[in-house]
Amino acid sequence: IDKIEIHLQLLGYVPQAVSLATEILKKKKLDLKQLVLVPSHGGRFEVTVDGELVFSKLAEGRFPEDEEVLAKI
C-alpha cells in the first residue's frame, strides 16, 4: 500500500481520524508507506487507499467502524 489518506473536517472530527489512523498503523504498518491526514471541510470524512475511495461519511451518513475500513485495505 503506497498511501492511505483520511480527509477530515478539522472541527470535531480529529478524534475519529486519530483513532482510525492508530488502528491502521497497528494492523498495517508493515504494508504501508504513507498515512496522511488531510484537512477538509463540509462534513467530510473520507478514506482513500492509493487514490481509491473506500469510505465516505457524506455517502454513508455516519463515521466508519475501524474494522470496516481495515477490511477494505
Side-chain angles (χ1 to χ4, degrees):
I1 301 166
D2 286 326
K3 187 180 210 178
I4 295 176
E5 294 181 338
I6 302 173
H7 299 260
L8 66 143
Q9 174 178 307
L10 291 178
L11 185 61
Y13 291 7
V14 172
Q16 290 89 346
V18 170
S19 174
L20 178 57
T22 300
E23 289 305 308
I24 290 170
L25 288 172
K26 283 181 187 176
K27 301 274 179 12
K28 302 291 184 178
K29 65 184 169 192
L30 298 178
D31 301 322
L32 180 61
K33 291 181 182 174
Q34 293 182 36
L35 175 59
V36 182
L37 299 182
V38 181
S40 191
H41 59 282
R44 188 174 182 202
F45 190 97
E46 296 181 330
V47 181
T48 61
V49 177
D50 293 336
E52 179 183 334
L53 184 65
V54 297
F55 185 87
S56 171
K57 178 184 172 290
L58 295 175
E60 298 290 331
R62 60 178 175 80
F63 286 101
E65 297 293 328
D66 293 344
E67 291 300 322
E68 176 180 15
V69 172
L70 289 167
K72 295 179 180 181
I73 297 174

